Every structure is written in structure tokens, then in C-alpha cells.
Amino acid sequence: MKLNKIEQNKAAKDGLDVGPEIDTFAKLGWENVDKTDLELRLKWYGMFWRPKTPGKFMLRLRVPNGVLHFNQLEVIADIIGKYDGGRADITTRQNLQLRGILLEDLPEILKSLDSVGLTTIQSGFDNPRNVTGNPLAGVDPEEIIDTIPYVKELDNYLTDCHRGNREFSNLPRKWNTAVAGAKDNFLLHNDIVFHPVRRLGQLKFGVWIGGVLSSQMNAYAVPLNAWVDPEDICRLTGVICSIWRDNGERDKRPKGRFRLYLDSVGVDKFREMVVERFGPLDKWFSCASSGLGSKFQEKPRSHFGIHKQKQKGLYYAGIHIPVGRLDVVDLHRLSILSRYGKGEVRLTEDQNVILVNIPEDQLDFVRKDVIIERYFPLEPGPVAAGTVACTGSQFCGFAITDTKGDAERIAKELEYELEIPEEVKIHWTGCPNSCGQAYMGGIGLTGTKVKGGLGYNITVGGSHLQVGEEYKKGVPLDELKDVLKEILIERFDAKLRKFPHL
């Protein structure tokens, strides 16, 4: 098999092999570390070289199912608080990315994270990424299953309990795993999704495979026609991932994603290959007629505001984090808010936060809390509420546009100028790699260069059931707001606000 340069470097030295060298790297300084170790292999420990900020790295955590506790928030705050301009971004995988990190501090940072049960292992590049699930797992009155134990089991399996798993440390590209717990969980963009399906009185998992959002292809997962016992989800994930690992594209890197390999083989043939390694698979047949949990709701719930939990007398509160970006003070604020409950928060794929396990007698205090009123509203505006934005050009060398800055500014302007009846999902991504998942948005915006400057390509019609379709290419940034106003009026029942004093 022909290998590109990256694959040759991975074959020469596994990314996990730099673990014992991190202390040495810290003492040497980034300028003296081998270039491939610095810019490639450190990603196996979540540490990303950023050409935009030489010497200041991005550190990506693993936060399975998006569950964080107040002591973890405090440790993360302490880490970024050491740096001028330190930030933590909530990602579209219920995760956190820390910015401004220095290599000399990495050994102590990893120890601090480990002391509160957090890790960065295999969180980047060609590895199994953070495993996601229902952000309301365990408290959701509409949940079919609590995803947390299954997500933790998969995360431990894929990373060998955070020691690093060499079975999955040299994949052709990244691998995304998710477990759905309710009918409105928005997860078909993952490489493998386990969705609870009840048949003949038994609750098992239906399996969907091949979701992808990338520069080469944007498509949701397709059914494998398999119905598996909960105790088999790790083994099945390993079989599917290893078939791709052993046969996927390693020359033309843009063609390396699992879905492209799946399409080259065909779903039926691939299922046969899985059966050869795994053994017989129960068939699922029709997802539309199998009963509980076997089909998806047409419209996902909004988590914003205060809602009853499944536990009597307890509530959860969904709060808005503008474009998912937190500074050190914000992290301390979240830690304080978490203590209205039992000190726990949940990160969402929409880059927001949910406070859980709040007693009824604390609800008025939550509503009136100055942090809620000033910084993290329970009821954000309809554009801000649905805004998802990738890192953007401020920190990412791939991004063409400043997605977070553009998204926050334009959201405020649109809400000022328009009456919009309900939340609109607007996803911003700075380049075709689609970290901001543009094709999932009711409106999707992908950064591009246009004549005389920067702009965006626009897609419309995306949802958790279908990817968006191309609407207009190359819209200059100074014309973007007006084009978005047209779309909101034509497709989302928005109306121009009347200002009688003008």
C-alpha cells in the first residue's frame, strides 16, 4: 500500500510513543523538539501546534458524554488562568479545547487533569475522538436509555482506560463514536452511532455507520441492519473500526475517511465483512416500524430554560454560552452555578451548557442569579440560541474567516432588525473541513475567499435528519447579513421589525 508522508511518519513512530518523552520536550523547549514529534505526534496527547500562535498550543481534552464536575472546572480554570488570553472553547463533540498552553507546562497540566479524572489521550488526529451521548443522560424524562455508562465503556475501550490503545492509534483518519439515548439526539454525523431500538420486548442497539462532514463529502450515517446487545457495542465498534484501519485509504489523505471506504465497498458487502470477524448479527429490518427508539423525532427539543427532570423535585437549566467560548472567569462562574445542583454540568454539541439536579426550592435563585442575567442567559435570542461556530481564523491556520467574531456580531444585528418566531440553527465553519458542521445547520456558512476579500458559501435545509443543500456561493462578508435576512424572511417566517421612532 502506498503511504503519504504523514502515514510514513506514523508508521515510523506511533504517536503514543512520545508519551514518555513529554517531560524531556518540556525541558528542551518547543524550538528544540523534533519537528514531526512537535507538529504531529503530540496530537496523540491532545497537544496541537498552532502556526498562528507559535509556541502557544491548543490542548484538547476528553469529556465523555460532556459530563464535568465543579472540581474539574476549577482545575481547567487554573490551567488557562496562567496565560494571558487563555481560553476554553466548547466543541461540537461535547468537549473542551484549551488555548494558549505552553509546552513547558504540559507535564504538570497532565498531572493536574489526571488528579480530577480528566485526560487528553488520543483526543486528536487519526484516533478515536471524544465519545458523545445524550447531554441529558440520566435526568431526561424522555430518555430511552441513560447513555453515560455506555459512553464511558466505549471511551475506556477505545483508549484502553486512558492509557492509550495501540489497536486504534494509527487509523487512516479520525473516528467518531456516539450513543443516542433519546429520539431527538442529533448524532448521525458520526462514524458509528448506537441507537436504542425495542423489538419483541427487547431493548438493544440499532447500528448506524458512515456519517461524515468533511471537505470531500457531507452525508449522514446509514443503517448497518444490525441489532446488538449492549454488552457487544465495544466489540462491534472494534471490528468495524479495525476493518477500516486495515483497508482504508492511506495515500490520498482527503479520501481516508471511513465513509469513503464504506461507499467503495458497499454497505451489504461491508456487513458481510463485519459478520466474518464478529459473528452473526441480528437484523434490524425497518427502523420506521420497530417501535420505541427506532426512529428520530423530526424536531429536536430546545434545552434552554428550566425543565423538569425524570427525578421528582429536580430540574435542569439550559444556559447559553455565546459562540461556546469561555475565559477563566467564565469557568469559575460555571463552577459556582453548578452548585445549585450537585456540582455537575453537561456540555452540549451546540456549544452550550446544562446545569442538572437543581432542587425546586433553588429555581428562583437560579433565575435571578447575576451570572445568568448578565452572562449566560436561560432564554437567548433565536439566532444566538442556534449559533454554532468553529474556532475560526483567530487561532486556526485552516480557517479562512473569523467565524466566532462574525457569528456573534451578525447574530446581534439580525435579532435587532428582525422578529424571528423560533430558534434557527446557523452553523459557521471557517473552511471546508467543516468543524462547525455547516451542513447540519438550517443555514450553513462555510468561509471562503471572494474577490476583494473574505466571504461565505451558504447552504440551507440542514437538520438532524438531512444535510443542507447549496444555496449561494461566494457571498462577500459585507453583504452576508442582508442575504441572511432574505433567507430568514423567506424560509423561517421572520419579519422586519418596525421602528416607529425612525
Side-chain angles (χ1 to χ4, degrees), residues 123-141:
S123 60
F125 218 65
D126 300 342
N127 284 287
R129 303 295 184 87
N130 193 51
V131 183
T132 61
N134 181 5
L136 294 174
V139 305
D140 186 356

Side-chain angles (χ1 to χ4, degrees), residues 28-286:
L28 285 173
W30 66 267
E31 301 95 333
N32 300 308
V33 176
D34 173 81
K35 181 178 174 63
T36 306
D37 286 344
L38 182 76
E39 298 184 10
L40 177 66
R41 298 188 184 100
L42 274 174
K43 293 175 182 176
W44 272 245
Y45 290 83
M47 193 71 158
F48 283 67
W49 166 260
R50 299 286 79 180
K52 288 257 177 160
T53 56
K56 295 183 178 181
F57 291 74
M58 181 268 280
L59 185 65
R60 181 181 293 147
L61 310 185
R62 294 188 80 93
V63 185
N65 213 114
V67 179
L68 283 172
H69 298 274
F70 74 93
N71 60 326
Q72 295 172 324
L73 290 165
E74 293 291 347
V75 166
I76 296 166
D78 289 344
I79 290 170
I80 67 168
K82 297 176 182 177
Y83 307 112
D84 182 29
R87 294 286 186 273
D89 290 339
I90 304 174
T91 78
T92 54
R93 295 205 63 74
Q94 296 180 286
N95 205 355
L96 284 176
Q97 297 180 163
L98 315 185
R99 303 200 174 276
I101 306 300
L102 300 183
L103 182 57
E104 63 198 59
D105 297 329
L106 184 58
E108 288 304 314
I109 288 173
L110 295 179
K111 289 176 186 176
S112 295
L113 292 171
D114 182 65
S115 72
V116 290
L118 291 172
T119 186
T120 64
I121 195 75
Q122 289 181 271
S123 60
F125 218 65
D126 300 342
N127 284 287
R129 303 295 184 87
N130 193 51
V131 183
T132 61
N134 181 5
L136 294 174
V139 305
D140 186 356
E142 297 184 25
E143 75 180 356
I144 303 160
I145 53 113
D146 177 353
T147 60
I148 290 175
Y150 302 107
V151 166
K152 286 184 175 179
E153 184 182 2
L154 282 160
D155 190 70
N156 286 333
Y157 171 72
L158 291 166
T159 65
D160 190 19
C161 296
H162 300 166
R163 290 184 289 264
N165 191 337
R166 292 177 185 272
E167 287 293 309
F168 308 114
S169 64
N170 185 7
L171 303 177
R173 293 294 300 273
K174 65 181 177 181
W175 175 267
N176 292 327
T177 307
V179 183
K183 290 184 180 181
D184 66 345
N185 287 172
F186 196 159
L187 298 169
L188 291 180
H189 51 290
N190 288 274
D191 293 290
I192 189 166
V193 187
F194 293 98
H195 199 277
V197 176
R198 187 180 295 278
R199 261 184 70 206
L200 305 176
Q202 284 186 291
L203 188 63
K204 299 185 182 183
F205 285 105
V207 185
W208 297 68
I209 57 173
V212 62
L213 298 171
S214 74
S215 62
Q216 296 295 305
M217 183 180 188
N218 292 278
Y220 283 160
V222 296
L224 182 63
N225 196 9
W227 189 54
V228 299
D229 290 316
E231 57 265 30
D232 286 333
I233 60 175
C234 287
R235 188 164 70 92
L236 182 61
T237 299
V239 166
I240 291 171
C241 191
S242 63
I243 292 172
W244 168 61
R245 176 199 66 201
D246 297 342
N247 298 284
E249 173 65 44
R250 291 182 182 265
D251 178 22
K252 299 182 176 79
R253 187 162 175 80
K255 302 288 186 181
R257 293 293 298 274
F258 171 61
R259 177 55 177 266
L260 281 80
Y261 170 71
L262 178 66
D263 285 355
S264 71
V265 174
V267 176
D268 292 340
K269 175 62 178 175
F270 185 78
R271 191 181 191 280
E272 293 174 7
M273 296 167 70
V274 172
V275 168
E276 286 177 10
R277 295 196 189 191
F278 180 85
L281 287 168
D282 287 343
K283 291 187 176 181
W284 175 6
F285 299 108
S286 170

Side-chain angles (χ1 to χ4, degrees), residues 427-444:
H427 285 236
W428 300 70
T429 193
C431 77
N433 289 329
S434 205
C435 296
Q437 304 172 334
Y439 281 79
M440 289 170 63
I443 300 173

Side-chain angles (χ1 to χ4, degrees), residues 390-432:
C390 75
T391 297
S393 58
Q394 182 181 1
F395 294 112
C396 179
F398 293 107
I400 299 166
T401 52
D402 177 18
T403 49
K404 287 192 183 295
D406 293 341
E408 194 165 16
R409 173 179 55 81
I410 289 180
K412 291 176 181 176
E413 293 175 359
L414 289 172
E415 289 174 354
Y416 178 75
E417 296 177 25
L418 295 175
E419 294 179 358
I420 306 168
E422 59 183 3
E423 178 183 324
V424 180
K425 297 288 187 185
I426 303 182
H427 285 236
W428 300 70
T429 193
C431 77

Side-chain angles (χ1 to χ4, degrees), residues 322-333:
V323 295
R325 177 152 286 172
L326 301 160
D327 62 21
V328 60
V329 177
D330 291 330
L331 287 164
H332 287 304
R333 287 169 178 151

